[in-house]
Amino acid sequence: GAVVSQHPSWVICKSGTSVKIECRSLDFQATTMFWYRQFPKQSLMLMATSNEGSKATYEQGVEKDKFLINHASLTLSTLTVTSAHPEDSSFYICSAPQGGDYGYTFGSGTRLTVV
Amino acid sequence: DQQVKQNSPSLSVQEGRISILNCDYTNSMFDYFLWYKKYPAEGPTFLISISSIKDKNEDGRFTVFLNKSAKHLSLHIVPSQPGDSAVYFCAASGISSGSARQLTFGSGTQLTVLP
């Protein structure tokens, strides 16, 4: 079946540094990638939608200058957390629709800890 | 404003018995509903879905029921097995202005199946 490879699976970084998270669609083309964030014991909150070759669409309240999204090819979307702060510590997950309207494949998630 | 609600944060069931997870939604534009299973530090995995034109969909031990008039859906797992212990997310999708449908997630229900 369709696979979205997400890495790193976990990362610890210092405050003020930037972290890049990659999501690759391995056996299908992902023209769209959804980026979610999950706080402990809470729902997955949609942060932004990236579209190959165009600017990402950010949800209300998400800082586009802080969470840089790039979707340069049909198989790769990246989320860069810039100038990370401890409050950015969270679980980030990507998801791509595949095959028709209703199939969604999720990456395995990235646990980010900012110290 | 939570458009998808899972009011029970946790549920414990004895092995072999039925597990019933509930989900309510408020947006009448939602026309497709999905259930995902999630283990800690992993991405969600798709379980079962249902279109709004149906009121029931069954796949092995998993059955999803949809009551459109009540804006309510439920996931039945029978018989429950210890391996079913995980967080279950309800998600809804509707017509969006973009080319791909976004998912709106509930807050999840932690199911624990006791041996």
Side-chain angles (χ1 to χ4, degrees):
Chain A
V3 175
V4 172
S5 174
Q6 180 173 351
H7 70 91
S9 55
W10 62 271
V11 58
I12 300 174
C13 70
K14 292 185 177 180
S15 290
T17 61
S18 296
V19 173
K20 179 185 281 189
I21 301 170
E22 292 189 352
C23 277
R24 293 179 184 274
S25 56
L26 296 188
D27 47 7
F28 68 102
Q29 293 183 331
T31 55
T32 299
M33 190 76 73
F34 299 113
W35 287 92
Y36 295 88
R37 179 177 182 177
Q38 184 189 25
F39 292 104
K41 298 187 178 182
Q42 293 189 26
S43 179
L44 284 77
M45 301 300 296
L46 181 66
M47 297 174 63
T49 304
S50 72
N51 296 290
E52 187 267 335
S54 63
K55 289 185 178 180
T57 304
Y58 290 81
E59 296 301 301
Q60 193 173 12
V62 178
E63 299 176 59
K64 59 181 67 176
D65 293 331
K66 181 167 189 58
F67 298 99
L68 299 179
I69 290 175
N70 185 279
H71 197 142
S73 76
L74 288 171
T75 59
L76 175 64
S77 178
T78 62
L79 167 67
T80 302
V81 182
T82 63
S83 187
H85 290 286
E87 56 264 33
D88 298 326
S89 299
S90 191
F91 191 62
Y92 294 87
I93 311 176
C94 60
S95 170
Q98 40 90 200
D101 288 335
Y102 307 124
Y104 299 83
T105 300
F106 284 82
S108 54
T110 297
R111 169 69 62 191
L112 170 64
T113 301
V114 183
V115 298
Chain B
D1 176 31
Q2 270 191 293
Q3 297 187 63
V4 179
K5 300 178 184 179
Q6 292 176 258
N7 292 320
S8 298
S10 64
L11 173 69
S12 290
V13 172
Q14 207 68 36
E15 181 178 6
R17 307 293 290 267
I18 185 171
S19 296
I20 300 177
L21 297 100
N22 293 303
C23 178
D24 297 290
Y25 62 97
T26 58
N27 190 338
S28 57
M29 296 303 291
F30 289 145
D31 62 357
Y32 201 77
F33 305 89
L34 309 91
W35 284 94
Y36 285 86
K37 179 179 179 180
K38 185 180 181 303
Y39 295 110
E42 292 185 13
T45 54
F46 172 76
L47 208 54
I48 193 169
S49 63
I50 188 167
S51 164
S52 61
I53 62 174
K54 295 185 175 181
D55 54 18
K56 177 183 175 182
N57 189 26
E58 191 172 353
D59 184 3
R61 296 186 297 115
F62 303 92
T63 303
V64 56
F65 295 93
L66 174 63
N67 183 334
K68 279 191 297 181
S69 60
K71 292 192 176 64
H72 176 84
L73 63 155
S74 60
L75 173 68
H76 293 210
I77 306 173
V78 57
S80 301
Q81 300 172 354
D84 295 330
S85 297
V87 176
Y88 288 78
F89 286 98
C90 168
S93 171
I95 299 295
S96 67
S97 57
S99 58
R101 290 165 165 258
Q102 298 176 354
L103 290 181
T104 302
F105 284 86
S107 53
T109 297
Q110 171 69 57
L111 173 65
T112 303
V113 180
L114 306 169

